[in-house]
Amino acid sequence: TEYDNKLIESLANDVERAKIHSVLTQNGKKLFISANYQLDSALASDYGWKDAGMLSLGFFRIIENELNARLIAPLLDSIGDREKSYFYNELNSRFINNKQSTKVNSEKLRWYYLFETLKPILRRYGRDDDRWMMLGSMEYFLNSISNRASTQECNKPVLDYLKSKLVLLLTDKGIKAIENDELGDLITANTRDRFRNPPAHAQYLHINTAVECRKYVHDCLLRIDSWIK
């Protein structure tokens, strides 16, 4: 019957949510419960045409939280201050030299993007520092690690060093996900533009898209857990 089908679907959702909840960080658990409660409440109230941008953002920020808390923060903690200082000074000196040059080309732009991406990693010395990596920078960093984003040969030492630290935090599946660009693909610009950015740019987002975002995020969180130790 229709009632039985709805009950089965509800139970399946409960099982999936319980599984996801069990693998999240403490802050991730709070965000997860809140996002699901708010979307469930909106759907129960016949949300209709009203903007659902914040509902969608409520889910997508869980990915941001988990990747930062479980991957980026431990990566930072694994890098010694001496190494951070060395690579930062190296990058910074080349950045200054490039900045003084009047020549603008794709190589210079790639260098600028890489420096801006790595700067918060290499400058974050305090363990309790709350400056996390933004998703755009995180995507570029992960793509650089996987060699998708073209970088100059002189950048390889810092990227190889960071990759050697990063893979220690990953499962075998996670290492493959880095090599195959699957990790960076979770947070591409197109995905962020669909689910995360509309409320930040005064754009309307229909509740059906928020429902899609929930499904996408639930799937991503399970994959992230299978990739990170």
Side-chain angles (χ1 to χ4, degrees):
T1 66
E2 183 179 352
Y3 174 79
D4 290 334
N5 289 336
K6 286 184 177 180
L7 180 60
I8 291 171
E9 182 181 359
S10 176
L11 290 172
N13 287 336
D14 288 343
V15 170
E16 181 185 65
R17 292 186 194 184
K19 182 178 180 180
I20 296 171
H21 181 270
S22 69
V23 301
L24 297 177
T25 61
Q26 286 303 308
N27 193 54
K29 292 180 193 295
K30 296 175 186 176
L31 296 175
F32 182 76
I33 292 171
S34 176
N36 275 289
Y37 172 78
Q38 291 177 37
L39 182 55
D40 287 343
S41 298
L43 291 170
S45 67
D46 189 22
Y47 205 72
W49 57 268
K50 295 185 285 295
D51 178 61
M54 297 305 293
L55 298 176
S56 185
L57 177 61
F59 280 99
F60 208 83
R61 65 179 179 167
I62 307 172
I63 296 177
E64 188 170 3
N65 178 83
E66 294 302 295
L67 287 177
N68 270 295
R70 296 189 59 189
L71 194 64
I72 301 302
L75 172 63
L76 298 176
D77 290 340
S78 73
I79 303 172
D81 286 351
R82 188 174 181 179
E83 286 80 9
K84 285 181 184 177
S85 179
Y86 170 76
F87 283 120
Y88 178 79
N89 289 334
E90 284 287 301
L91 291 168
N92 192 44
S93 63
R94 271 183 266 144
F95 173 71
I96 291 173
N97 291 335
N98 273 334
K99 197 173 183 181
Q100 290 173 344
S101 169
T102 57
K103 184 180 179 182
V104 177
N105 54 35
S106 58
E107 229 176 52
K108 184 175 179 180
L109 288 174
R110 284 198 299 270
W111 168 251
Y112 173 79
Y113 291 142
L114 181 66
F115 176 77
E116 288 299 311
T117 296
L118 297 182
K119 185 165 62 173
I121 293 182
L122 299 174
R123 290 189 70 180
R124 181 178 163 178
Y125 293 94
R127 188 181 184 88
D128 297 324
D129 195 327
D130 61 356
R131 287 177 297 139
W132 286 10
M133 186 177 279
M134 300 295 288
L135 288 177
S137 296
M138 193 185 300
E139 180 196 6
Y140 192 80
F141 168 62
L142 293 172
N143 288 341
S144 297
I145 290 291
S146 70
N147 299 320
R148 171 184 286 184
S150 178
T151 59
Q152 296 166 290
E153 190 66 27
C154 60
N155 298 335
K156 283 188 64 64
V158 64
L159 290 174
D160 288 345
Y161 174 78
L162 293 173
K163 185 175 183 178
S164 72
K165 294 290 187 179
L166 188 68
V167 295
L168 298 177
L169 304 171
L170 302 173
T171 63
D172 290 341
K173 285 184 178 180
I175 294 173
K176 288 181 181 178
I178 282 285
E179 298 295 346
N180 299 333
D181 302 317
E182 292 178 76
L183 196 47
D185 281 348
L186 296 182
I187 50 176
T188 62
N190 287 339
T191 304
R192 298 195 305 273
D193 286 342
R194 179 164 179 75
F195 296 132
R196 181 186 183 275
N197 293 342
H201 300 287
Q203 296 176 1
Y204 174 82
L205 189 143
H206 194 275
I207 194 167
N208 289 348
T209 304
V211 172
E212 289 178 43
C213 181
R214 168 158 66 184
K215 186 177 185 307
Y216 178 80
V217 169
H218 281 192
D219 177 63
C220 286
L221 294 174
L222 290 172
R223 293 168 73 191
I224 288 170
D225 183 62
S226 73
W227 292 339
I228 303 176
K229 291 180 180 176

